[in-house]
């Protein structure tokens, strides 16, 4: 079957932004940020399948809506409700409802596709992700390395399962290493600029509490370099149709780490 590849990623992103637009919610809560890395990885996985362009677009948007729904629920803070202002309470309540709203959009789009195996794939992934979240937030890890692997799975598992469903799991090793690298970079930036980061707090207060605040940036930097190195090694082995993804990664690495890196040599 001839593959249909004339599906611009800009078109998909515009449609996703349209799905996420809700004027009432935007009055009280921040509009979700689309993770460009996850979107491009999903696009690279799905664009060379034999599905129609409409199906491809719906699969990508549906999966991103699942991810955004999960991320939105994570934004709900755990402050004492009694001490909150009415606006803060309303914001928290609407954040929960927004996550439910994005979940509803995902179910609606899947129902139009009538793809029971894909529905099962995403539902199973959601269950696994929630189990990983419990392991992280109940601090069921005994070392920094174990924590990092849990966080890597949390960031990547939805894409892992979709890639396996599409028989494109060759991208999974790169996906895990790259998405964890990007997550750690964002958390490090938040910690430096704002003095706080949920991930850094887990590392200093959890079972790995031997990491002191004055060591945490150095420790996370070492893991960034480690997982970045793995991402560099694994991206070079991806098939040619991942060219756009390789270019995207090359640009980010060049901008953040300079040009003396292996992945740049791959062109």
């Amino acid at each position: 079957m001839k593959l249909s590849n004339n599906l611009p990623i800009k078109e998909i992103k515009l449609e996703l932004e349209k799905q996420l637009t809700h004027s009432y919610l935007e009055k009280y809560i921040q509009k979700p940020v689309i993770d460009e890395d996850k979107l491009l990885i999903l696009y690279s996985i799905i664009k060379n399948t034999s599905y129609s362009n409409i199906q491809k677009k719906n699969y990508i948007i549906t999966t991103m809506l699942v991810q955004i729904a999960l991320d939105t629920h994570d934004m709900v803070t755990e402050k004492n409700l009694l001490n909150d202002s009415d606006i803060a309470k309303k914001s928290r309540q609407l954040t929960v409802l927004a996550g439910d709203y994005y979940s509803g959009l995902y179910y609606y789009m899947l129902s139009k596709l009538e793809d029971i195996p894909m529905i099962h794939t995403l539902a199973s992934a959601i269950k696994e992700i929630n189990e990983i979240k419990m392991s992280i937030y109940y601090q069921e890890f005994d070392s920094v390395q174990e924590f990092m692997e849990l966080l890597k799975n949390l960031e990547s598992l939805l894409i892992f399962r979709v890639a396996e469903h599409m028989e494109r799991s060759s991208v999974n090793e790169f996906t895990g290493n790259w998405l964890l690298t990007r997550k750690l970079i964002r958390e490090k930036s938040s910690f430096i600029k704002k003095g706080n980061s949920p991930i850094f707090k887990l590392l200093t207060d959890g079972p790995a509490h031997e990491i002191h605040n004055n060591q945490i940036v150095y420790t996370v930097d070492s893991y960034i370099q480690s997982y970045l190195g793995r991402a560099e090694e694994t991206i070079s082995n991806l098939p040619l149709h991942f060219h756009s993804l390789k270019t995207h990664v090359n640009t980010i690495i060049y901008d953040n780490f300079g040009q003396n890196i292996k992945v740049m040599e791959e062109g």
Side-chain angles (χ1 to χ4, degrees), residues 139-145 147 199-216 219:
Q139 301 179 352
E140 296 174 358
F141 51 91
D142 298 318
S143 67
V144 179
Q145 182 61 48
F147 172 81
I199 300 305
F200 279 44
K201 184 173 177 60
L202 282 166
L203 285 171
T204 54
D205 295 351
H209 59 80
E210 70 273 8
I211 303 177
H212 300 294
N213 282 328
N214 61 351
Q215 299 174 318
I216 189 66
T219 300

Side-chain angles (χ1 to χ4, degrees), residues 143-247:
S143 67
V144 179
Q145 182 61 48
E146 188 177 346
F147 172 81
M148 290 297 177
E149 288 299 308
L150 282 171
L151 187 58
K152 181 171 75 171
N153 286 333
L154 182 62
E155 284 294 299
S156 312
L157 194 137
L158 188 63
I159 294 178
F160 286 175
R161 297 297 175 254
V162 171
E164 290 164 2
H165 180 82
M166 300 288 176
E167 298 183 348
R168 298 290 189 276
S169 57
S170 62
V171 75
N172 282 359
E173 189 176 356
F174 161 77
T175 297
N177 293 323
W178 180 245
L179 292 182
L180 178 59
T181 300
R182 295 285 277 160
K183 174 70 172 179
L184 293 177
I185 290 172
R186 290 193 298 270
E187 292 293 323
K188 174 189 168 185
S189 176
S190 176
F191 182 78
I192 291 173
K193 292 177 181 178
K194 303 176 183 178
N196 64 74
S197 153
I199 300 305
F200 279 44
K201 184 173 177 60
L202 282 166
L203 285 171
T204 54
D205 295 351
H209 59 80
E210 70 273 8
I211 303 177
H212 300 294
N213 282 328
N214 61 351
Q215 299 174 318
I216 189 66
V217 173
Y218 173 80
T219 300
V220 171
D221 262 336
S222 69
Y223 279 95
I224 289 173
Q225 293 296 332
S226 175
Y227 283 99
L228 175 64
R230 298 182 198 180
E232 292 177 56
E233 292 174 3
T234 49
I235 196 172
S236 63
N237 297 323
L238 294 180
L240 289 176
H241 64 259
F242 285 96
H243 174 74
S244 296
L245 178 60
K246 290 183 179 183
T247 301

Side-chain angles (χ1 to χ4, degrees), residues 67-133:
Q67 185 68 66
I68 290 167
L70 290 164
D71 293 343
T72 301
H73 281 145
D74 287 346
M75 291 169 58
V76 180
T77 60
E78 298 178 350
K79 295 178 182 177
N80 188 335
L81 296 180
L82 295 176
N83 296 328
D84 275 347
S85 66
D86 289 340
I87 293 177
K89 288 179 182 178
K90 188 166 190 175
S91 176
R92 181 180 291 103
Q93 292 164 354
L94 286 173
T95 300
V96 174
L97 291 175
D100 294 340
Y101 171 68
Y102 303 139
S103 296
L105 288 176
Y106 131 66
Y107 283 114
Y108 171 69
M109 293 189 69
L110 275 185
S111 69
K112 291 196 298 182
L113 289 174
E114 298 181 348
D115 187 336
I116 300 302
M118 185 62 170
I119 293 173
H120 178 73
T121 292
L122 293 176
S124 296
I126 292 170
K127 178 177 179 291
E128 287 184 83
I129 288 168
N130 285 328
E131 288 171 351
I132 295 171
K133 285 181 180 179

